[in-house]
Amino acid sequence: MMVEFVMLVMGVALFFYTVLGGADFGAGIIEMLTGERSIRTISKAIAPVWEANHVWLILVLVVIFNGFPKVFSTMSIMLHIPLLLVLVGMIFRGTAFTFRHYDVIEDSSHRYYHFCFRASSLLTPFFLGMTLGAVILGRISPDLNAGFYAVFIAPWLNAFCIGMGLFTTLLFSYVSAVFLIGEVETEEGRQIMITYSKRSLIALMLLGALIMALAEWSGLALFQQFLAQPISLATIILATLLIPLIFRTIEKRQINTMRVLVGGQVAVIFIGWAAVQFPDFIRFNDGTALTIYNTAAGAATFRQLVIALTVGVLIILPAFFYLFKVFKQKV
């Protein structure tokens, strides 16, 4: 039960990072499309909370490092190129946002800050999605002697992983657009976010279907796996049923309701993917896999990890609630 508890906490942390951290990344993508009109709104929306959102990603990495060291080392070696690009993107994005937010002198340097913030907001989730695609697809080679391209390039540089990168990028911008509807102060800006939210949701549906097709073309029967699992099949149905409800709440501008529904939609997508992937962490091209059971650390390690996570959750969740209450509650 300790392993399952740790996985549950890690899954919840990954969900929060996708919704909250994803909304931050998506804001940079939206700013790339809308330009100068949205800079003030986006900076005001994410400035108080953007650093805190990375707590969830750090939690996921710490859990994998301590609880599943074989998984951590395998990903760090086999997928070091896309992961390095993710880390570089995070560093450049955070640096650019900090400089442009606190540099009160508006001069030519702000053009570089804006460009760096927007470009890294686009590329970071793209390579995150490609990394996730490589974990799902199962082309990672356990043989380090197979050659540089086969070991370090082919597992993530393919059509399916590119599709996953695009899906992650679009998902982040969709979540961000929905959240920003309640942050924009002008009617024109609010209408822009509403239009983008609707179009992004439609595009996500089409891209999801394309990813299923790319998986089949790549030799992964992903759609059949979703249909074979009752839980994953139920999540597809539920995520689809939420679409008209989300459209309706967006039209009526029911801010809190639409945010909850979008978060719920992301959650059911996560649950569906987890049901298909379980219990595998990483799938190799020889048919073997690193699972949560054959890579778990010793019982003593997990006991300490469970204690640390229990205490941590009791501290982090109330602290996050208070943070958002202070900075996001409308006066």
Side-chain angles (χ1 to χ4, degrees):
M1 288 298 294
M2 290 191 297
V3 176
E4 287 78 5
F5 173 78
V6 169
M7 290 299 300
L8 177 62
V9 173
M10 189 171 68
V12 171
L14 194 58
F15 163 74
F16 277 121
Y17 185 72
T18 301
V19 174
L20 301 176
D24 286 353
F25 283 113
I29 300 170
I30 292 173
E31 185 182 302
M32 180 182 296
L33 300 174
T34 57
E36 304 294 323
R37 293 174 294 177
S38 61
I39 290 179
R40 182 177 178 274
T41 298
I42 289 173
S43 295
K44 181 181 177 182
I46 70 176
V49 297
W50 73 276
E51 286 185 292
N53 289 330
H54 287 296
V55 167
W56 304 113
L57 182 62
I58 295 170
L59 177 60
V60 171
L61 292 176
V62 169
V63 168
I64 295 177
F65 178 80
N66 287 279
F68 309 94
K70 180 64 175 178
V71 174
F72 187 89
S73 63
T74 300
M75 291 186 65
S76 300
I77 295 172
M78 305 300 187
L79 301 175
H80 72 278
I81 296 177
L83 287 175
L84 176 63
L85 294 173
V86 168
L87 292 175
V88 170
M90 288 181 177
I91 293 170
F92 273 86
R93 180 180 180 275
T95 303
F97 181 78
T98 301
F99 274 109
R100 81 169 191 174
H101 187 70
Y102 294 105
D103 187 357
V104 295
I105 301 175
E106 292 279 351
D107 54 19
S108 59
S109 61
H110 275 257
R111 293 201 303 270
Y112 300 105
Y113 300 153
H114 294 328
F115 173 79
C116 187
F117 173 71
R118 296 165 186 172
S120 55
S121 295
L122 177 69
L123 294 176
T124 304
F126 178 74
F127 286 110
L128 268 174
M130 293 189 77
T131 304
L132 178 61
V135 171
I136 297 172
L137 186 58
R139 287 189 178 178
I140 297 175
S141 173
D143 182 13
L144 291 175
N145 298 318
F148 183 85
Y149 179 82
V151 176
F152 300 116
I153 304 295
W156 60 273
L157 190 57
N158 51 68
F160 175 77
C161 293
I162 292 173
M164 285 294 299
L166 293 174
F167 184 86
T168 305
T169 303
L170 186 58
L171 176 65
F172 284 6
S173 60
Y174 160 63
V175 172
S176 182
V178 172
F179 280 31
L180 285 172
I181 292 173
E183 302 285 344
V184 179
E185 297 175 350
T186 65
E187 180 59 29
E188 178 189 7
R190 196 172 294 112
Q191 193 58 50
I192 290 173
M193 296 304 167
I194 289 173
T195 302
Y196 187 83
S197 300
K198 293 178 179 178
R199 292 177 178 176
S200 298
L201 182 51
I202 295 172
L204 276 172
M205 295 167 54
L206 298 175
L207 188 55
L210 177 62
I211 287 174
M212 292 295 182
L214 289 173
E216 293 289 338
W217 182 69
S218 303
L220 175 65
L222 189 59
F223 186 65
Q224 285 85 348
Q225 291 179 16
F226 266 88
L227 294 180
Q229 293 280 353
I231 295 178
S232 57
L233 179 59
T235 59
I236 292 178
I237 297 172
L238 183 56
T240 305
L241 292 176
L242 285 173
I243 293 173
L245 292 176
I246 292 172
F247 268 96
R248 181 178 176 82
T249 55
I250 290 176
E251 282 291 342
K252 291 183 174 294
R253 303 185 185 186
Q254 298 170 339
I255 305 301
N256 291 330
T257 304
M258 75 174 75
R259 289 175 174 177
V260 171
L261 289 177
V262 168
Q265 192 177 45
V266 173
V268 297
I269 293 173
F270 254 89
I271 294 171
W273 165 67
V276 170
Q277 188 79 8
F278 185 84
D280 297 340
F281 258 119
I282 299 176
R283 294 169 178 170
F284 294 118
N285 57 8
D286 62 356
T288 60
L290 297 180
T291 72
I292 67 173
Y293 299 114
N294 65 18
T295 61
T301 299
F302 264 88
R303 278 195 295 270
Q304 300 302 317
L305 192 56
V306 167
I307 295 172
L309 288 176
T310 303
V311 174
V313 167
L314 293 176
I315 295 174
I316 292 174
L317 288 180
F320 254 84
F321 176 79
Y322 184 68
L323 175 71
F324 277 86
K325 181 179 176 61
V326 169
F327 288 103
K328 293 302 179 181
Q329 180 173 270
K330 298 295 182 181
V331 178

